[in-house]
Amino acid sequence: MKYMLLIIGLFDDPTAEPPTAEAFQEYQKALHDAGVVVDGNPLGDIETATTVRVREGRRLVTDGPYAETREFVGGYHVIDVPDLDTALDWAARNPGSRFGRVEVRPIVDMA
Amino acid sequence: MSHGRVTGAVEEVFREDRGRLVAILAARLGDLDLAEEVASDAIETALRRWPVDGLPDRPLAWLVTTAKRRAIDRLRHDAVAQRHLAELAVEAEPAAPAEVAGADGLPDERLTLIFTCCHPALAPEARLALTLRHVAGLTTPEIARAFLVPEPTVAQRLVRAKRKIRESRIAFRVPEGAALADRLPDVLHVVYLVFAEGHTASAGDDLVRAELTAEAIRLARILRHLLPGQREVAGLLALLLLTGARSAARTGADGAAVPLEEQDRTRWDAVAIAEGRDLVVTALTGGDPGPYGVQAAIAALHAEAPDLPGTDWPQIVALYDVLRALAPSPVVELNRAVAVGMRDGPDVGLTLLDRLAGDAALRAHPQVPATRAELLRRAGRTAEAATAYRQAADVAGTGPERAYLSRRAAECAP
């Protein structure tokens, strides 16, 4: 079954030490070695985000992410594993889980 | 065998084994609803066939086979399920069958079912509802009544939880090694909640609630049987037995709650206490203590004391010191304050309680006025005690508790 792991980080936490690029690369390698990768990418910095809304037929385009919260989506992985516990294990191993959180969602098979 | 005797024997099998039947089917099919439906179908068929054909040598095996055939039939007619049929491998044995086999050689999958129903990915209320519905076999109305929640709410919780199990693919499996140790507290907590719900209600008044404590003990026994090496399971069973042993003495003839101080200890269940005390030894031997083991030890000290003054309060305080490190909570602090008051005198207890009540988390706790009232009464400050008892009666959760607290208020301020 395919799951998406959404790696969610936190803004403005002065005490936090965000995970390093090396940590993420090691994780990516582990996923590949295990043969579970379907897809995955970090996302561009939050400053590169643009939000689109359409209300009453008008398109509104603004700078920045979609919500005024402390959280932002930093990246994603799509993995193919037998069950939720396996997906949760991989989520726990993601360096982002120690800093922010990882959301695990089953991917709906639209076929 | 006569028709009547076979029917009686059949009903006996169903009472004992329905939980095991559903558990085996759920583990094979990965679907609780389907498991329940085909289990009911198989039982219905048995009720028709066995009185005519005679009781099979292995009734549970017969039910499992019949139910699985029914499941395959249903899945064949469901186009969506067709795709999953191959994955389900209904005919094949599971990769890691349950280690504990029943006397009939069939694996005991109830452990699988309990762990699945208590999976951390499910909401806490959902875990409780699922366990009661599918492991304990309570109906949705019974669960609703037990927890004073509207029936549609319970029904919705069950539907959502089962959908999550299906759509997120929560596997039907007992976790292993470190994962088992990690997940066991959630399972024990659910069983504890079932017991607590039955125990804090007025004893003897409502049949459903007495059945709840019995059901919790039954679940704890199943866990003890299937996880004999897990000391906290022994600790939980001990706690439930020792606490439940006092049930008969907890309600007076007038329906009021009887406090520990006034309970007729000859009405305590000596057999349950003996079993509980043995289990406490098991729970606390051979490793670090766990919270249920410690709580059971405290209950054991109460159970073996002749009366309140003769209770080993220093030892109880020492155990609360261990407990507050393992599993801190407002209730633990309050109970410890009472024990300190019994060990060192009510004034010491009151000072401690007042300091605790300064903490935001504890201040609003409904048990604080009652605890305060008891300590004031023991300290001889009867006027203040009367006021505190009246306050406590106002926030009391049940009629019997209110009756007791009002009586105390009247005694303190005649």
Side-chain angles (χ1 to χ4, degrees):
Chain A
M1 176 151 197
K2 298 198 184 70
Y3 297 87
M4 180 174 282
L5 273 50
L6 290 152
I7 319 303
I8 294 166
L10 300 168
F11 284 119
D12 302 336
D13 185 350
T15 65
E17 266 235 27
T20 62
E22 287 76 29
F24 279 116
Q25 273 158 21
E26 261 178 56
Y27 178 76
Q28 185 85 310
K29 180 172 189 303
L31 283 176
H32 274 286
D33 290 346
V36 300
V37 174
V38 176
D39 193 4
N41 285 295
L43 298 178
D45 271 358
I46 209 65
E47 289 83 30
T48 64
T50 312
T51 296
V52 178
R53 287 190 198 85
V54 178
R55 299 281 185 271
E56 290 163 0
R58 288 187 56 224
R59 185 200 294 195
L60 306 156
V61 176
T62 49
D63 176 38
Y66 63 91
E68 270 102 23
T69 64
R70 290 180 57 232
E71 293 184 331
F72 63 93
V73 181
Y76 69 96
H77 297 278
V78 178
I79 58 177
D80 194 347
V81 292
D83 54 47
L84 182 66
D85 283 321
T86 315
L88 294 177
D89 285 343
W90 280 113
R93 281 175 69 175
N94 187 290
S97 68
R98 263 165 283 296
F99 173 66
R101 61 187 180 88
V102 178
E103 187 170 310
V104 178
R105 301 278 289 272
I107 290 182
V108 176
D109 188 356
M110 297 291 283
Chain B
M1 216 188 253
S2 76
H3 190 296
R5 283 191 61 196
V6 170
T7 308
V10 165
E11 277 159 10
E12 183 62 41
V13 166
F14 297 153
R15 241 195 330 273
E16 294 284 312
D17 285 342
R18 194 174 199 284
R20 285 195 58 197
L21 176 61
V22 170
I24 291 172
L25 293 168
R28 295 283 184 287
L29 302 171
D31 186 327
L32 273 165
D33 283 331
L34 183 61
E36 288 277 355
E37 279 163 21
V38 299
S40 295
D41 288 346
I43 289 172
E44 231 179 285
T45 307
L47 282 168
R48 275 201 320 272
R49 297 261 304 270
W50 292 0
V52 174
D53 300 340
L55 213 60
D57 288 332
R58 297 168 70 219
L60 186 58
W62 188 99
L63 288 168
V64 172
T65 306
T66 305
K68 276 160 69 171
R69 279 204 207 107
R70 198 73 192 90
I72 293 172
D73 279 344
R74 286 165 137 272
L75 291 171
R76 280 214 188 98
H77 288 106
D78 181 342
V80 172
Q82 280 283 2
R83 279 205 308 276
H84 297 302
L85 192 55
E87 294 174 31
L88 288 175
V90 171
E91 287 304 309
E93 288 304 300
E99 282 167 26
V100 184
D104 46 25
L106 282 165
D108 197 332
E109 299 280 19
R110 285 174 299 177
L111 200 58
T112 308
L113 190 54
I114 293 177
F115 270 95
T116 306
C117 289
C118 295
H119 197 286
L122 298 167
E125 327 79 68
R127 296 178 218 163
L128 190 53
L130 280 175
T131 302
L132 284 170
R133 178 75 191 85
H134 297 291
V135 186
L138 265 62
T139 62
T140 303
E142 283 171 344
I143 298 170
R145 224 169 33 243
F147 289 87
L148 303 175
V149 169
E151 208 179 300
T153 306
V154 176
Q156 259 291 56
R157 271 181 204 163
L158 290 167
V159 165
R160 271 197 224 111
K162 282 183 277 195
R163 190 187 313 142
K164 176 140 193 198
I165 291 174
R166 256 193 335 268
E167 292 181 7
S168 311
R169 203 179 286 183
I170 291 176
F172 280 77
R173 179 174 55 221
V174 178
E176 282 167 14
L180 181 92
D182 204 41
R183 299 252 316 259
L184 187 58
D186 286 336
V187 171
L188 298 180
H189 184 64
V190 164
V191 176
Y192 178 80
L193 283 179
V194 174
F195 183 88
E197 197 56 47
H199 186 73
T200 53
S202 52
D205 230 351
D206 188 334
L207 198 57
V208 174
R209 294 180 175 257
E211 280 181 359
L212 274 181
T213 55
E215 191 54 54
I217 288 176
R218 195 180 75 89
L219 289 170
R221 285 197 191 285
I222 292 171
L223 287 170
R224 173 91 186 118
H225 173 65
L226 298 174
L227 293 170
Q230 292 288 345
R231 289 165 27 249
E232 270 289 87
V233 176
L236 176 68
L237 180 56
L239 177 62
L240 302 192
L241 286 167
L242 289 162
T243 308
R246 307 205 286 259
S247 288
R250 282 175 67 230
T251 316
D254 56 355
V258 179
L260 191 57
E261 193 175 357
E262 296 173 2
Q263 285 178 20
D264 177 359
R265 300 190 177 209
T266 63
R267 299 186 66 199
W268 288 359
D269 182 343
V271 174
I273 289 173
E275 189 186 352
R277 291 176 68 189
D278 282 341
L279 286 164
V280 167
V281 175
T282 305
L284 298 180
T285 309
D288 291 336
Y292 287 114
V294 175
Q295 288 177 78
I298 293 170
L301 285 170
H302 281 297
E304 58 199 41
D307 49 39
L308 218 62
T311 307
D312 191 346
W313 293 109
Q315 180 68 285
I316 289 182
V317 173
L319 285 166
Y320 273 118
D321 287 339
V322 175
L323 187 58
R324 71 211 291 230
L326 289 173
S329 82
V331 173
V332 171
E333 292 301 325
L334 282 176
N335 289 339
R336 184 180 172 279
V338 170
V340 168
M342 293 304 291
R343 183 190 69 182
D344 299 340
D347 293 306
V348 178
L350 277 164
T351 308
L352 178 54
L353 185 64
D354 286 340
R355 202 176 70 225
L356 288 172
D359 183 307
L362 280 156
R363 195 178 310 137
H365 197 282
Q367 274 297 105
V368 170
T371 309
R372 193 142 201 287
E374 296 282 304
L375 285 164
L376 285 166
R377 177 174 61 87
R378 289 187 208 286
R381 290 154 67 173
T382 45
E384 293 169 86
T387 310
Y389 274 121
R390 273 193 291 274
Q391 276 176 334
D394 283 341
V395 298
T398 66
E401 283 174 275
R402 204 172 306 121
Y404 163 71
L405 294 162
S406 302
R407 187 200 98 201
R408 283 290 192 202
E411 283 169 3
C412 287

